[in-house]
Coordinates of all heavy atoms in Angstrom, one line a residue:
M1 N 0.8 -1.2 0.0 CA 0.0 0.0 0.0 C 0.9 1.2 0.0 O 1.9 1.3 0.7 CB -0.9 0.0 1.2 CG -1.7 1.2 1.3 SD -3.5 1.2 1.5 CE -4.1 -0.2 0.6
S2 N 0.5 2.2 -0.7 CA 1.3 3.5 -0.8 C 1.1 4.3 0.4 O 0.2 4.2 1.2 CB 0.7 4.3 -2.0 OG 0.9 3.6 -3.2
D3 N 2.1 5.2 0.6 CA 2.1 6.1 1.7 C 1.1 7.2 1.5 O 1.1 7.9 0.5 CB 3.5 6.8 1.9 CG 3.5 7.8 2.9 OD1 3.2 7.5 4.1 OD2 3.9 9.0 2.6
P4 N 0.1 7.4 2.5 CA -1.0 8.3 2.2 C -0.5 9.8 2.1 O -1.0 10.6 1.4 CB -1.9 8.1 3.5 CG -1.0 7.5 4.5 CD 0.0 6.6 3.7
W5 N 0.6 10.1 2.9 CA 1.1 11.5 2.9 C 1.7 11.8 1.5 O 1.6 12.9 1.0 CB 2.0 11.7 4.0 CG 1.4 11.4 5.3 CD1 1.9 10.5 6.3 CD2 0.2 11.8 5.9 NE1 1.1 10.4 7.3 CE2 0.0 11.2 7.1 CE3 -0.8 12.7 5.4 CZ2 -1.1 11.5 7.9 CZ3 -1.9 12.9 6.2 CH2 -2.0 12.3 7.5
T6 N 2.4 10.9 0.9 CA 3.0 11.1 -0.4 C 1.9 11.2 -1.4 O 1.9 12.2 -2.2 CB 3.9 9.9 -0.8 OG1 4.9 9.7 0.2 CG2 4.5 10.1 -2.2
L7 N 0.9 10.4 -1.4 CA -0.2 10.5 -2.3 C -1.0 11.8 -2.1 O -1.3 12.5 -3.1 CB -1.2 9.3 -2.1 CG -0.7 7.9 -2.4 CD1 -1.7 6.9 -2.0 CD2 -0.3 7.8 -3.9
L8 N -1.2 12.2 -0.9 CA -1.9 13.5 -0.7 C -1.1 14.7 -1.2 O -1.6 15.6 -1.7 CB -2.2 13.7 0.8 CG -3.5 13.2 1.3 CD1 -3.6 13.3 2.8 CD2 -4.7 13.9 0.7
G9 N 0.2 14.6 -1.0 CA 1.1 15.6 -1.5 C 1.1 15.8 -3.0 O 1.1 16.9 -3.6
E10 N 1.0 14.6 -3.7 CA 0.9 14.6 -5.1 C -0.5 15.0 -5.7 O -0.6 15.8 -6.6 CB 1.3 13.2 -5.7 CG 2.7 12.8 -5.4 CD 2.9 11.3 -5.6 OE1 2.0 10.6 -5.9 OE2 4.1 10.9 -5.5
R11 N -1.5 14.5 -5.1 CA -2.9 14.6 -5.6 C -3.7 15.8 -5.1 O -4.6 16.3 -5.8 CB -3.7 13.3 -5.4 CG -3.0 12.2 -6.1 CD -3.8 10.9 -5.9 NE -3.1 9.7 -6.4 CZ -3.4 8.5 -6.1 NH1 -4.5 8.2 -5.4 NH2 -2.7 7.5 -6.6
K12 N -3.4 16.1 -3.8 CA -4.2 17.2 -3.1 C -5.7 16.9 -3.0 O -6.4 17.9 -2.8 CB -3.9 18.6 -3.8 CG -2.5 18.9 -4.1 CD -1.8 19.3 -2.8 CE -0.4 19.9 -3.2 NZ 0.6 19.4 -2.4
I13 N -6.1 15.7 -3.2 CA -7.5 15.3 -3.1 C -7.6 14.1 -2.2 O -6.6 13.3 -2.1 CB -8.2 15.1 -4.4 CG1 -7.5 13.9 -5.2 CG2 -8.3 16.3 -5.2 CD1 -8.2 13.4 -6.3
L14 N -8.7 13.9 -1.6 CA -8.9 12.7 -0.7 C -9.7 11.7 -1.4 O -11.0 11.6 -1.3 CB -9.6 13.2 0.5 CG -9.6 12.3 1.8 CD1 -8.2 11.9 2.1 CD2 -10.3 13.1 2.9
D15 N -9.0 10.8 -2.2 CA -9.7 9.8 -3.0 C -9.8 8.5 -2.2 O -9.3 8.4 -1.1 CB -9.1 9.6 -4.4 CG -7.7 9.2 -4.3 OD1 -7.2 8.6 -3.3 OD2 -6.9 9.4 -5.3
D16 N -10.4 7.5 -2.8 CA -10.6 6.2 -2.1 C -9.3 5.5 -1.8 O -9.2 4.9 -0.7 CB -11.5 5.3 -3.0 CG -12.9 5.7 -3.0 OD1 -13.4 6.5 -2.2 OD2 -13.7 5.3 -4.0
E17 N -8.3 5.6 -2.7 CA -7.0 5.0 -2.4 C -6.3 5.6 -1.2 O -5.8 4.9 -0.4 CB -6.1 5.1 -3.7 CG -4.8 4.4 -3.5 CD -3.8 4.6 -4.7 OE1 -4.2 5.2 -5.7 OE2 -2.7 4.0 -4.6
I18 N -6.4 7.0 -1.1 CA -5.8 7.6 0.0 C -6.5 7.3 1.3 O -5.9 7.1 2.3 CB -5.7 9.2 -0.3 CG1 -4.7 9.4 -1.5 CG2 -5.3 9.9 1.0 CD1 -4.7 10.8 -2.0
R19 N -7.8 7.3 1.2 CA -8.6 7.0 2.4 C -8.2 5.6 2.9 O -8.0 5.4 4.1 CB -10.1 7.0 2.1 CG -10.7 8.4 2.0 CD -12.1 8.4 1.5 NE -12.7 9.7 1.5 CZ -13.2 10.3 2.5 NH1 -13.3 9.8 3.7 NH2 -13.7 11.6 2.4
A20 N -8.1 4.6 2.0 CA -7.7 3.2 2.4 C -6.3 3.2 3.0 O -6.1 2.5 3.9 CB -7.8 2.3 1.2
A21 N -5.4 4.0 2.4 CA -4.0 4.0 2.9 C -4.0 4.6 4.3 O -3.2 4.2 5.1 CB -3.2 4.8 1.9
L22 N -4.8 5.6 4.5 CA -4.8 6.3 5.9 C -5.4 5.3 6.9 O -4.8 5.2 8.0 CB -5.7 7.5 5.9 CG -5.1 8.7 5.2 CD1 -6.1 9.8 4.8 CD2 -4.0 9.3 6.1
V23 N -6.4 4.5 6.6 CA -7.0 3.6 7.5 C -6.0 2.4 7.7 O -5.8 1.9 8.8 CB -8.3 3.0 7.0 CG1 -8.8 1.9 7.8 CG2 -9.3 4.2 7.0
A24 N -5.3 2.0 6.6 CA -4.3 0.9 6.7 C -3.2 1.3 7.7 O -2.7 0.5 8.5 CB -3.8 0.5 5.4
Q25 N -2.7 2.6 7.6 CA -1.6 3.0 8.4 C -2.0 3.4 9.8 O -1.2 3.1 10.7 CB -0.9 4.3 7.7 CG 0.3 4.7 8.5 CD 1.1 5.7 7.7 OE1 1.0 5.8 6.5 NE2 1.9 6.5 8.4
F26 N -3.2 4.0 10.0 CA -3.5 4.5 11.3 C -4.7 3.8 12.0 O -5.0 4.1 13.1 CB -3.8 6.0 11.2 CG -2.6 6.8 10.8 CD1 -2.5 7.3 9.5 CD2 -1.6 7.0 11.7 CE1 -1.4 8.1 9.1 CE2 -0.5 7.8 11.3 CZ -0.4 8.3 10.0
G27 N -5.3 2.9 11.3 CA -6.4 2.1 11.9 C -7.6 3.0 12.3 O -8.0 3.9 11.6
T28 N -8.0 2.8 13.6 CA -9.2 3.6 14.1 C -8.9 5.1 14.1 O -9.8 5.9 13.8 CB -9.5 3.1 15.6 OG1 -9.8 1.7 15.5 CG2 -10.6 3.9 16.1
R29 N -7.7 5.5 14.4 CA -7.3 6.9 14.4 C -7.5 7.5 13.0 O -7.9 8.6 12.8 CB -5.9 7.1 14.9 CG -5.9 7.0 16.4 CD -4.4 7.2 16.9 NE -4.5 7.2 18.4 CZ -4.5 6.1 19.1 NH1 -4.5 4.9 18.5 NH2 -4.5 6.1 20.4
G30 N -7.1 6.7 12.0 CA -7.3 7.1 10.6 C -8.8 7.3 10.2 O -9.2 8.3 9.6
K31 N -9.6 6.3 10.7 CA -11.1 6.4 10.4 C -11.7 7.6 11.1 O -12.5 8.4 10.5 CB -11.8 5.2 11.0 CG -11.5 3.9 10.1 CD -12.2 2.7 10.7 CE -11.8 1.4 10.0 NZ -12.4 0.2 10.6
K32 N -11.3 7.9 12.3 CA -11.8 9.1 13.1 C -11.4 10.4 12.4 O -12.1 11.3 12.3 CB -11.3 9.0 14.5 CG -12.1 8.0 15.4 CD -11.6 8.1 16.8 CE -12.4 7.1 17.7 NZ -12.0 7.3 19.1
A33 N -10.1 10.4 11.9 CA -9.6 11.6 11.2 C -10.4 11.9 10.0 O -10.8 13.0 9.7 CB -8.1 11.4 10.9
L34 N -10.7 10.8 9.2 CA -11.5 10.9 8.0 C -12.9 11.4 8.3 O -13.5 12.2 7.6 CB -11.5 9.6 7.2 CG -10.2 9.3 6.5 CD1 -10.2 7.8 6.0 CD2 -9.9 10.2 5.4
D35 N -13.5 10.9 9.4 CA -14.8 11.3 9.8 C -14.8 12.8 10.2 O -15.8 13.5 9.9 CB -15.3 10.5 11.0 CG -15.8 9.1 10.7 OD1 -16.0 8.8 9.5 OD2 -15.9 8.3 11.6
A36 N -13.8 13.2 10.8 CA -13.6 14.7 11.2 C -13.6 15.5 9.9 O -14.3 16.6 9.9 CB -12.4 14.9 12.0
I37 N -12.9 15.1 8.9 CA -12.9 15.8 7.6 C -14.3 15.8 7.0 O -14.8 16.8 6.6 CB -11.8 15.2 6.7 CG1 -10.4 15.3 7.2 CG2 -11.9 15.8 5.3 CD1 -9.9 16.8 7.3
D38 N -14.9 14.6 6.9 CA -16.2 14.5 6.3 C -17.3 15.3 7.0 O -18.2 15.7 6.3 CB -16.6 13.0 6.2 CG -15.7 12.2 5.3 OD1 -15.0 12.8 4.4 OD2 -15.6 10.9 5.5
H39 N -17.2 15.4 8.3 CA -18.2 16.2 9.0 C -17.8 17.6 9.3 O -18.4 18.2 10.2 CB -18.5 15.4 10.3 CG -19.2 14.1 10.1 ND1 -18.5 12.9 10.0 CD2 -20.5 13.8 9.8 CE1 -19.4 11.9 9.8 NE2 -20.6 12.5 9.6
H40 N -16.7 18.1 8.7 CA -16.3 19.5 8.8 C -16.0 19.9 10.2 O -16.4 21.0 10.7 CB -17.4 20.4 8.2 CG -17.8 20.0 6.8 ND1 -17.0 20.2 5.7 CD2 -18.9 19.3 6.3 CE1 -17.6 19.6 4.6 NE2 -18.7 19.1 5.0
L41 N -15.2 19.1 10.9 CA -14.9 19.3 12.3 C -13.5 20.0 12.5 O -13.1 20.3 13.6 CB -14.9 18.0 13.1 CG -16.3 17.3 13.1 CD1 -16.1 16.0 13.9 CD2 -17.4 18.2 13.7
V42 N -12.9 20.3 11.3 CA -11.5 20.9 11.4 C -11.7 22.4 11.0 O -12.3 22.7 10.0 CB -10.5 20.3 10.4 CG1 -9.2 20.9 10.5 CG2 -10.4 18.8 10.7
K43 N -11.2 23.3 11.9 CA -11.3 24.7 11.7 C -9.9 25.3 11.7 O -9.1 24.9 12.6 CB -12.2 25.4 12.7 CG -13.7 24.9 12.6 CD -14.5 25.5 13.7 CE -16.0 25.1 13.5 NZ -16.2 23.7 13.7
K44 N -9.7 26.3 10.9 CA -8.4 27.0 10.9 C -8.7 28.4 11.3 O -9.3 29.2 10.6 CB -7.7 27.0 9.5 CG -6.4 27.7 9.6 CD -5.7 27.6 8.2 CE -4.3 28.0 8.2 NZ -4.1 29.4 8.8
Y45 N -8.3 28.7 12.5 CA -8.4 30.1 13.1 C -7.1 30.8 12.6 O -6.2 30.3 12.0 CB -8.5 30.1 14.6 CG -9.8 29.6 15.1 CD1 -10.2 28.2 15.1 CD2 -10.8 30.5 15.6 CE1 -11.4 27.8 15.6 CE2 -12.0 30.1 16.0 CZ -12.3 28.7 16.0 OH -13.5 28.3 16.5
L46 N -7.0 32.1 13.0 CA -5.8 32.9 12.6 C -4.6 32.4 13.3 O -3.5 32.5 12.8 CB -6.1 34.4 12.9 CG -7.2 35.0 12.1 CD1 -7.4 36.5 12.6 CD2 -6.8 35.1 10.6
D47 N -4.7 31.8 14.5 CA -3.6 31.3 15.3 C -3.4 29.8 15.3 O -2.3 29.4 15.5 CB -3.6 31.9 16.7 CG -5.0 31.8 17.4 OD1 -5.9 31.3 16.7 OD2 -5.1 32.2 18.5
F48 N -4.5 29.0 15.2 CA -4.4 27.6 15.4 C -5.3 26.9 14.5 O -6.4 27.4 14.1 CB -4.7 27.2 16.8 CG -3.9 27.8 17.9 CD1 -4.4 28.7 18.8 CD2 -2.5 27.5 18.1 CE1 -3.7 29.2 19.8 CE2 -1.8 28.0 19.1 CZ -2.4 28.9 20.0
F49 N -5.1 25.6 14.3 CA -6.1 24.6 13.8 C -6.8 24.1 15.1 O -6.2 23.9 16.1 CB -5.5 23.5 13.1 CG -5.3 23.7 11.6 CD1 -4.1 24.1 11.1 CD2 -6.4 23.5 10.7 CE1 -3.9 24.3 9.8 CE2 -6.2 23.7 9.4 CZ -5.0 24.1 8.9
V50 N -8.1 23.9 15.0 CA -8.9 23.4 16.1 C -9.8 22.3 15.5 O -10.4 22.4 14.5 CB -9.8 24.5 16.7 CG1 -10.7 23.9 17.8 CG2 -8.9 25.6 17.3
V51 N -9.8 21.1 16.2 CA -10.6 20.0 15.8 C -11.6 19.7 16.9 O -11.2 19.6 18.1 CB -9.8 18.7 15.6 CG1 -10.7 17.6 15.2 CG2 -8.7 19.0 14.5
T52 N -12.9 19.7 16.6 CA -13.9 19.4 17.5 C -14.0 17.8 17.7 O -14.2 17.1 16.8 CB -15.3 19.9 17.1 OG1 -15.1 21.3 16.9 CG2 -16.3 19.6 18.1
G53 N -13.7 17.4 18.9 CA -13.8 16.0 19.3 C -15.0 15.7 20.1 O -15.8 16.6 20.4
S54 N -15.1 14.5 20.6 CA -16.3 14.1 21.4 C -16.4 14.8 22.7 O -17.4 14.9 23.3 CB -16.3 12.5 21.6 OG -15.1 12.2 22.2
S55 N -15.2 15.2 23.2 CA -15.2 15.9 24.5 C -14.9 17.4 24.5 O -14.6 18.0 25.5 CB -14.1 15.2 25.4 OG -14.4 13.8 25.6
G56 N -14.9 17.9 23.3 CA -14.7 19.4 23.2 C -13.7 19.7 22.0 O -13.4 18.8 21.2
D57 N -13.2 20.9 22.0 CA -12.3 21.4 21.0 C -10.8 21.1 21.4 O -10.5 21.3 22.6 CB -12.5 22.9 20.7 CG -13.7 23.2 20.0 OD1 -14.4 22.3 19.5 OD2 -14.1 24.4 20.0
Y58 N -10.0 20.7 20.4 CA -8.6 20.5 20.7 C -7.8 21.3 19.8 O -8.0 21.4 18.6 CB -8.2 19.0 20.5 CG -9.0 18.1 21.5 CD1 -10.1 17.4 21.1 CD2 -8.6 18.1 22.9 CE1 -10.8 16.6 22.0 CE2 -9.4 17.4 23.8 CZ -10.4 16.6 23.4 OH -11.1 15.9 24.3
V59 N -6.8 22.0 20.3 CA -5.9 22.9 19.6 C -4.7 22.1 19.1 O -4.1 21.4 19.9 CB -5.5 24.1 20.5 CG1 -4.5 25.0 19.8 CG2 -6.7 24.9 21.0
I60 N -4.4 22.3 17.8 CA -3.3 21.7 17.2 C -2.3 22.8 16.8 O -2.7 23.7 16.0 CB -3.7 20.8 16.0 CG1 -4.5 19.6 16.5 CG2 -2.4 20.3 15.3 CD1 -5.9 19.8 16.7
S61 N -1.1 22.7 17.2 CA -0.1 23.7 16.8 C 1.3 23.0 16.8 O 1.7 22.4 17.8 CB 0.0 24.8 17.9 OG 0.9 25.8 17.6
E62 N 2.0 23.2 15.7 CA 3.3 22.7 15.5 C 3.5 21.2 15.9 O 4.4 20.8 16.6 CB 4.3 23.5 16.3 CG 4.3 25.0 15.8 CD 5.3 25.8 16.6 OE1 6.2 25.3 17.3 OE2 5.2 27.1 16.4
G63 N 2.5 20.4 15.4 CA 2.6 18.9 15.6 C 2.2 18.5 17.0 O 2.5 17.3 17.4
V64 N 1.6 19.3 17.8 CA 1.2 19.0 19.2 C -0.3 19.2 19.3 O -0.8 20.2 18.8 CB 2.0 19.8 20.2 CG1 1.5 19.6 21.6 CG2 3.5 19.6 20.1
C65 N -1.0 18.3 20.0 CA -2.4 18.4 20.2 C -2.7 18.5 21.7 O -2.0 17.9 22.5 CB -3.1 17.2 19.6 SG -4.9 17.2 19.8
T66 N -3.7 19.2 22.1 CA -4.1 19.4 23.5 C -4.9 18.3 24.0 O -5.3 18.3 25.2 CB -4.8 20.7 23.7 OG1 -6.0 20.8 22.9 CG2 -3.9 21.9 23.3
C67 N -5.2 17.2 23.2 CA -6.0 16.1 23.7 C -5.3 15.2 24.7 O -4.0 15.1 24.6 CB -6.6 15.3 22.6 SG -5.5 14.2 21.8
P68 N -6.0 14.5 25.6 CA -5.4 13.6 26.6 C -4.6 12.5 25.9 O -3.6 12.0 26.4 CB -6.5 13.1 27.4 CG -7.6 14.1 27.2 CD -7.4 14.7 25.9
D69 N -5.1 12.0 24.8 CA -4.5 10.9 24.1 C -3.1 11.2 23.6 O -2.1 10.5 23.8 CB -5.3 10.4 22.9 CG -4.7 9.2 22.1 OD1 -4.4 8.2 22.8 OD2 -4.6 9.3 20.9
F70 N -2.9 12.4 23.0 CA -1.6 12.9 22.6 C -0.7 13.1 23.8 O 0.5 12.7 23.8 CB -1.7 14.1 21.8 CG -0.3 14.6 21.3 CD1 0.2 14.0 20.2 CD2 0.4 15.5 22.0 CE1 1.5 14.4 19.7 CE2 1.7 15.9 21.6 CZ 2.2 15.4 20.4
A71 N -1.2 13.7 24.9 CA -0.4 13.9 26.1 C 0.1 12.6 26.7 O 1.3 12.6 27.1 CB -1.2 14.7 27.1
F72 N -0.7 11.6 26.6 CA -0.3 10.3 27.2 C 0.6 9.5 26.3 O 1.6 9.0 26.8 CB -1.6 9.5 27.5 CG -1.3 8.1 28.0 CD1 -0.8 8.0 29.3 CD2 -1.4 7.0 27.2 CE1 -0.6 6.7 29.9 CE2 -1.1 5.7 27.8 CZ -0.7 5.6 29.1
R73 N 0.3 9.4 25.0 CA 1.1 8.6 24.1 C 2.2 9.3 23.4 O 3.2 8.7 22.9 CB 0.2 8.0 23.0 CG -0.8 7.0 23.6 CD -1.7 6.4 22.5 NE -1.9 7.1 21.3 CZ -1.4 6.7 20.1 NH1 -0.7 5.6 20.0 NH2 -1.6 7.4 19.0
Q74 N 2.1 10.6 23.2 CA 3.1 11.4 22.5 C 3.3 10.9 21.0 O 4.4 10.9 20.5 CB 4.5 11.4 23.2 CG 4.4 12.2 24.5 CD 4.2 13.6 24.4 OE1 4.9 14.3 23.7 NE2 3.1 14.2 25.0
K75 N 2.2 10.4 20.5 CA 2.2 9.9 19.1 C 1.0 10.6 18.4 O 0.0 11.0 19.1 CB 2.0 8.4 19.0 CG 3.3 7.7 19.5 CD 3.2 6.2 19.4 CE 4.4 5.5 19.8 NZ 4.3 4.1 19.7
P76 N 0.9 10.6 17.1 CA -0.2 11.2 16.4 C -1.6 10.7 16.8 O -1.8 9.5 16.8 CB 0.0 11.0 14.9 CG 1.5 10.8 14.8 CD 1.9 10.1 16.1
C77 N -2.4 11.6 17.3 CA -3.8 11.3 17.6 C -4.6 11.6 16.4 O -4.1 12.1 15.4 CB -4.3 12.2 18.8 SG -4.1 14.0 18.4
W78 N -5.9 11.2 16.4 CA -6.7 11.4 15.2 C -6.9 12.9 14.9 O -7.1 13.3 13.7 CB -8.0 10.7 15.3 CG -9.0 11.1 16.3 CD1 -9.2 10.6 17.5 CD2 -10.0 12.1 16.1 NE1 -10.3 11.3 18.2 CE2 -10.8 12.2 17.3 CE3 -10.4 13.0 15.0 CZ2 -11.9 13.1 17.4 CZ3 -11.4 13.8 15.2 CH2 -12.1 13.9 16.4
H79 N -6.8 13.8 15.9 CA -6.9 15.2 15.6 C -5.8 15.7 14.8 O -5.9 16.5 13.8 CB -7.0 16.0 17.0 CG -7.9 15.4 18.0 ND1 -7.5 14.6 19.0 CD2 -9.3 15.5 18.0 CE1 -8.5 14.3 19.7 NE2 -9.6 14.8 19.1
L80 N -4.6 15.3 15.1 CA -3.4 15.6 14.3 C -3.4 15.1 12.9 O -3.1 15.8 12.0 CB -2.1 15.1 15.0 CG -1.5 15.9 16.2 CD1 -0.5 15.1 16.9 CD2 -1.0 17.2 15.7
I81 N -3.9 13.9 12.8 CA -4.0 13.3 11.4 C -5.0 14.1 10.6 O -4.8 14.4 9.5 CB -4.4 11.8 11.6 CG1 -3.3 11.0 12.3 CG2 -4.7 11.2 10.2 CD1 -3.7 9.6 12.7
A82 N -6.2 14.4 11.2 CA -7.2 15.2 10.6 C -6.6 16.5 10.1 O -6.9 17.0 9.0 CB -8.4 15.4 11.4
V83 N -5.9 17.2 10.9 CA -5.3 18.5 10.5 C -4.3 18.3 9.4 O -4.3 19.1 8.4 CB -4.6 19.2 11.7 CG1 -3.7 20.4 11.3 CG2 -5.7 19.7 12.7
R84 N -3.5 17.3 9.4 CA -2.6 17.0 8.3 C -3.3 16.8 7.0 O -2.9 17.3 6.0 CB -1.7 15.9 8.7 CG -0.5 15.8 7.8 CD 0.6 14.9 8.3 NE 1.7 14.7 7.3 CZ 2.6 13.8 7.4 NH1 2.7 13.0 8.5 NH2 3.5 13.7 6.4
I85 N -4.4 16.0 7.1 CA -5.2 15.8 5.9 C -5.8 17.2 5.4 O -5.8 17.5 4.2 CB -6.4 14.8 6.2 CG1 -5.8 13.4 6.5 CG2 -7.3 14.8 5.0 CD1 -6.8 12.5 7.1
A86 N -6.3 17.9 6.3 CA -6.9 19.2 6.0 C -5.9 20.2 5.4 O -6.3 20.8 4.4 CB -7.5 19.9 7.3
E87 N -4.7 20.2 5.9 CA -3.7 21.1 5.3 C -3.4 20.7 3.9 O -3.2 21.5 3.0 CB -2.4 21.1 6.2 CG -2.6 21.8 7.5 CD -1.3 21.7 8.3 OE1 -0.8 20.6 8.5 OE2 -0.9 22.8 8.8
A88 N -3.3 19.4 3.6 CA -2.9 18.9 2.3 C -4.0 19.1 1.3 O -3.7 19.2 0.1 CB -2.6 17.4 2.4
T89 N -5.3 19.0 1.7 CA -6.4 19.1 0.8 C -7.1 20.4 0.8 O -7.9 20.7 -0.2 CB -7.4 18.0 1.2 OG1 -7.9 18.2 2.5 CG2 -6.9 16.6 1.1
G90 N -6.9 21.2 1.8 CA -7.7 22.5 1.9 C -9.1 22.3 2.4 O -9.9 23.2 2.4
I91 N -9.4 21.1 2.9 CA -10.7 20.8 3.5 C -10.8 21.2 4.9 O -10.4 20.4 5.8 CB -11.1 19.3 3.3 CG1 -11.0 18.9 1.8 CG2 -12.5 19.0 3.8 CD1 -11.2 17.4 1.6
F92 N -11.1 22.4 5.2 CA -11.3 22.9 6.6 C -12.1 24.2 6.5 O -12.2 24.8 5.4 CB -10.0 23.1 7.3 CG -9.0 24.0 6.6 CD1 -9.1 25.4 6.6 CD2 -8.0 23.5 5.8 CE1 -8.2 26.2 5.9 CE2 -7.1 24.3 5.1 CZ -7.2 25.7 5.2
E93 N -12.7 24.5 7.6 CA -13.4 25.8 7.7 C -12.4 26.9 8.2 O -11.7 26.7 9.1 CB -14.6 25.7 8.7 CG -15.4 26.9 8.9 CD -16.4 26.8 9.9 OE1 -16.8 25.7 10.3 OE2 -16.8 27.9 10.5
T94 N -12.4 28.0 7.5 CA -11.6 29.1 7.9 C -12.4 30.0 8.8 O -13.5 30.4 8.5 CB -11.1 29.9 6.7 OG1 -10.4 29.0 5.8 CG2 -10.3 31.1 7.1
V95 N -11.9 30.3 10.0 CA -12.5 31.2 10.9 C -11.6 32.5 11.1 O -10.5 32.4 11.5 CB -12.7 30.5 12.3 CG1 -13.4 31.4 13.3 CG2 -13.4 29.2 12.1
D96 N -12.2 33.6 10.7 CA -11.4 34.8 10.7 C -11.4 35.6 12.0 O -11.8 36.7 12.2 CB -12.0 35.8 9.6 CG -11.1 37.0 9.3 OD1 -9.9 36.8 9.5 OD2 -11.6 38.0 8.8
T97 N -10.8 34.8 13.0 CA -10.6 35.4 14.3 C -9.5 34.6 15.0 O -9.1 33.5 14.5 CB -11.9 35.4 15.2 OG1 -11.7 36.1 16.3 CG2 -12.3 34.0 15.5
W98 N -9.0 35.1 16.1 CA -8.0 34.4 16.9 C -8.7 33.4 17.8 O -9.6 33.8 18.6 CB -7.1 35.4 17.6 CG -6.4 36.4 16.8 CD1 -6.9 37.6 16.5 CD2 -5.2 36.2 16.1 NE1 -6.0 38.2 15.6 CE2 -4.9 37.4 15.4 CE3 -4.3 35.1 16.0 CZ2 -3.8 37.5 14.6 CZ3 -3.2 35.3 15.2 CH2 -2.9 36.5 14.5
Y99 N -8.3 32.2 17.8 CA -8.9 31.2 18.7 C -8.7 31.6 20.1 O -9.6 31.5 20.9 CB -8.4 29.8 18.4 CG -9.1 28.8 19.3 CD1 -10.4 28.4 18.9 CD2 -8.5 28.2 20.4 CE1 -11.1 27.4 19.7 CE2 -9.1 27.2 21.1 CZ -10.4 26.9 20.8 OH -11.1 26.0 21.6
Q100 N -7.5 32.1 20.5 CA -7.2 32.4 21.9 C -8.2 33.5 22.4 O -8.4 33.6 23.6 CB -5.8 32.8 22.1 CG -5.3 34.0 21.2 CD -3.8 34.2 21.3 OE1 -3.2 33.6 22.1 NE2 -3.3 35.1 20.5
E101 N -8.8 34.3 21.5 CA -9.8 35.3 21.9 C -11.1 34.7 22.2 O -12.0 35.3 22.8 CB -9.9 36.4 20.8 CG -8.7 37.3 20.7 CD -8.9 38.3 19.6 OE1 -9.9 38.4 19.0 OE2 -7.9 39.1 19.4
T102 N -11.3 33.4 21.8 CA -12.6 32.7 22.1 C -12.6 32.0 23.4 O -13.6 31.5 23.9 CB -13.0 31.7 20.9 OG1 -12.0 30.6 21.0 CG2 -13.0 32.4 19.6
W103 N -11.4 31.8 24.0 CA -11.3 31.1 25.2 C -12.0 31.8 26.3 O -11.9 33.1 26.5 CB -9.8 31.0 25.7 CG -9.0 30.1 24.8 CD1 -9.4 29.1 24.0 CD2 -7.6 30.0 24.7 NE1 -8.4 28.5 23.3 CE2 -7.2 29.0 23.8 CE3 -6.5 30.8 25.3 CZ2 -5.9 28.8 23.4 CZ3 -5.2 30.5 25.0 CH2 -4.9 29.5 24.1
K104 N -12.7 31.1 27.2 CA -13.3 31.7 28.3 C -12.3 31.7 29.5 O -11.8 30.7 29.8 CB -14.5 30.8 28.7 CG -15.4 30.5 27.5 CD -16.7 31.3 27.5 CE -17.7 30.9 26.5 NZ -17.4 31.2 25.1
G105 N -12.1 32.9 30.0 CA -11.1 33.0 31.1 C -11.6 33.6 32.3 O -12.6 34.1 32.5

């Protein structure tokens, strides 16, 4: 099976072959990432990418995610995979504000 990141870099689209390669490489995390893309759960604010997960919003910045899974495992969570797909394909919602200004403090 081909590397999904190489294919995405070349094609810039999320076709069936790339979807299968992502699931083959990442299993459940790949499936969840694809679901996030399909359900428009990835947003690009002026300062961060944010992915809405089952327990809230997670901020992704410079290869780090604020979710507990990433904190525990220090390996790509489905939020990070979704953002990488979104960056490669342009499939994300653009939000013209700073995410940090939306935080409740």
